[in-house]
Amino acid sequence: MAKHPLSFSPPMNVPAWLCANLLLLLLAIGPVGTLRAQTVTPNRQPAELDQFITRLMDSARIPGLSMVVIRGNNIVYSKSYGLTKADSTQPVTPNTVFEAASLSKPVFAYAVMQLVEEKLLDLNKPLYEYLPYPDAAADARYQKITARMVLSHQSGFPNWRKDRKLPQLAMAYSPGKRFGYSGEGYVYLQKVVEKITDQPINEIMEFRVLKPLGMTNSSFVWQSDFNKHVAMPHNEAGEPEQKYQPGQANMAYSLHTTAEDYARFIRAIFTPAGLEPTTVNQMLTPTSKLPTRFSGDTLSTNLYWGLGFGLEEMSDATWFWHWGDNGAFKCFIMANRDRQDAVIYFTNSTNGLDIADRIVAKTLGGQHPAFPFLDINADEFFRKHPYKGK
């Protein structure tokens, strides 16, 4: 039988304890072994974390990455790596703007919950009573959709309609019956929020979230200043692609931000700012039960969705999390509210989510069923894409 590439047979006359240590060293230095490496304390072991991240990026062909680690609600590590564009010399810096993709959704949920506190919006009132939605009018079931259903992904809408250039939006199933991730639900809720506030959504988000939290390098629409320090998208091979510049805000995916700005938002969840603690509790309370796999039917025993975030209810800890995927931009956050610990990272690569489990393992530790749910497995990724770096 052929040996595994990392199999290890002890030579004669070598103590067993030394052989065991050599095996651990071999596991630690290879791409497969990095997930097994011990969690670091970023502010005390920055060089080890830097080497770890740089090697991951090289292995996964990720040109640029920006990351923040929070411990006890304090930023203990903020670092940017690589280039904004693979064929340039411009480095990624803490001011480099990335597409947040679906990390837009929790930020919008935060603003929605402000409206709930102000009694301008009722989580359980059908959105139809605020604003009929012609796009879905062919199926009367849509009239049952509430803001709670949208924020917990139980609207019954598909993620996106078959042809986003056409108005027709078909229901995937009855509202409130099951989890079904939906950007369309957020678009409908966005229109309702604009209706009840009589303001454009971008102005609402600027006034209620971005400015109060000091997210000065963030916007849901393209800003000319972004041209100076924006990350460009890259495909699986690490080749640059065309950059999308949103002229209209979309609460499902159009946020442009930095890792440090997004860390300000997460810290506002840890120590509620702009929301009452009881309201944040609502956001982080299980509302819909998730399957073990994103498109599966078997329900998980510890995965849920709250109002804006995914939740892991583990025996030793509760975590909230979300991912972002705009194709050639990928990002991820994992956070523990009790400990007030989090990791936030953004990449300008199609491959950016494939290393999420390793980054979380290295910076936060813990067991995370969110990764099987999202089909994120760095070991499997690197088996399919062997390391060819330095």
Side-chain angles (χ1 to χ4, degrees):
M1 180 182 295
K3 290 185 178 180
H4 187 277
L6 288 178
S7 62
F8 183 73
S9 299
M12 294 180 64
N13 301 321
V14 177
W17 64 267
L18 179 57
C19 295
N21 285 341
L22 287 171
L23 177 57
L24 289 174
L25 178 62
L26 286 171
L27 288 172
I29 62 176
V32 173
T34 50
L35 185 56
R36 302 180 179 90
Q38 291 184 346
T39 303
V40 299
T41 304
N43 55 327
R44 297 178 183 174
Q45 300 164 277
E48 181 180 344
L49 185 54
D50 286 352
Q51 184 180 27
F52 177 85
I53 297 296
T54 301
R55 188 174 180 86
L56 276 182
M57 291 173 62
D58 188 26
S59 298
R61 295 172 296 283
I62 296 172
L65 182 149
S66 189
M67 183 172 72
V68 171
V69 180
I70 300 171
R71 290 280 176 86
N73 205 20
N74 293 310
I75 293 178
V76 297
Y77 186 85
S78 178
K79 188 68 180 286
S80 300
Y81 303 87
L83 301 172
T84 60
K85 189 178 180 185
D87 58 1
S88 76
T89 59
Q90 185 179 33
V92 175
T93 73
N95 291 325
T96 298
V97 172
F98 290 80
E99 290 185 28
S102 284
L103 288 191
S104 305
K105 294 182 175 75
V107 182
F108 177 54
Y110 176 96
V112 170
M113 296 306 288
Q114 289 183 346
L115 298 177
V116 172
E117 284 188 348
E118 296 165 19
K119 302 189 183 305
L120 295 174
L121 178 67
D122 186 329
L123 281 174
N124 300 312
K125 182 177 178 178
L127 298 182
Y128 171 80
E129 296 183 25
Y130 294 103
L131 178 70
Y133 197 24
D135 292 27
D139 191 329
R141 289 181 296 174
Y142 98 89
Q143 297 177 14
K144 299 178 181 180
I145 297 172
T146 66
R148 185 183 300 278
M149 292 176 189
V150 170
L151 297 180
S152 60
H153 290 292
Q154 298 182 90
S155 68
F157 285 150
N159 190 14
W160 297 111
R161 64 194 73 192
K162 291 183 178 180
D163 187 343
R164 289 167 69 178
K165 295 180 181 179
L166 298 176
Q168 291 80 13
L169 173 58
M171 300 290 296
Y173 50 83
S174 295
K177 295 299 183 182
R178 51 163 290 182
F179 173 85
Y181 192 79
S182 177
E184 293 285 1
Y186 271 72
V187 171
Y188 182 24
L189 183 55
Q190 170 183 331
K191 293 178 182 296
V192 170
V193 167
E194 289 180 315
K195 174 67 162 45
I196 63 179
T197 61
D198 195 28
Q199 289 180 288
I201 195 64
N202 194 57
E203 292 182 13
I204 296 169
M205 298 307 296
E206 285 280 345
F207 174 74
R208 290 183 170 272
V209 186
L210 303 184
K211 288 183 178 179
L213 297 185
M215 299 173 69
T216 56
N217 288 316
S218 302
S219 178
F220 283 85
V221 295
W222 184 257
Q223 304 293 322
S224 58
D225 285 349
F226 289 169
N227 287 309
K228 302 172 186 176
H229 45 83
V230 67
M232 300 299 289
H234 295 77
N235 62 22
E236 290 183 358
E239 301 164 338
E241 295 187 340
Q242 189 72 26
K243 176 70 184 74
Y244 161 68
Q245 298 181 0
Q248 294 184 327
N250 187 304
M251 295 300 100
Y253 63 77
S254 75
L255 177 63
H256 282 60
T257 190
T258 67
E260 290 191 352
D261 266 14
Y262 209 88
R264 291 181 173 90
F265 169 65
I266 296 300
R267 294 178 75 192
I269 297 295
F270 286 157
T271 304
L275 287 176
E276 295 295 327
T278 53
T279 303
V280 174
N281 289 343
Q282 279 188 278
M283 294 180 69
L284 301 182
T285 296
T287 301
S288 59
K289 203 163 191 176
L290 270 59
T292 56
R293 302 280 176 171
F294 185 85
S295 57
D297 294 318
T298 303
L299 291 179
S300 172
T301 59
N302 45 30
L303 283 177
Y304 303 86
W305 210 268
L307 302 179
F309 287 105
L311 305 172
E312 294 179 343
E313 295 282 326
M314 310 298 287
S315 60
D316 60 340
T318 297
W319 301 84
F320 64 92
W321 52 277
H322 211 297
W323 75 99
D325 180 355
N326 268 6
F329 281 96
K330 300 287 202 302
C331 47
F332 192 83
I333 71 107
M334 177 70 73
N336 183 303
R337 188 187 180 197
D338 293 332
R339 299 204 304 251
Q340 299 194 330
D341 295 347
V343 63
I344 302 134
Y345 82 89
F346 291 84
T347 74
N348 58 349
S349 170
T350 300
N351 303 329
L353 274 175
D354 294 296
I355 60 172
D357 54 351
R358 292 196 175 179
I359 288 179
V360 170
K362 191 69 171 176
T363 56
L364 299 178
Q367 298 297 314
H368 299 286
F371 295 126
F373 171 78
L374 294 171
D375 197 25
I376 293 173
N377 185 321
D379 287 346
E380 184 65 23
F381 174 79
F382 286 121
R383 274 193 288 270
K384 293 180 179 179
H385 306 86
Y387 178 72
K388 296 180 182 179
K390 299 178 181 178

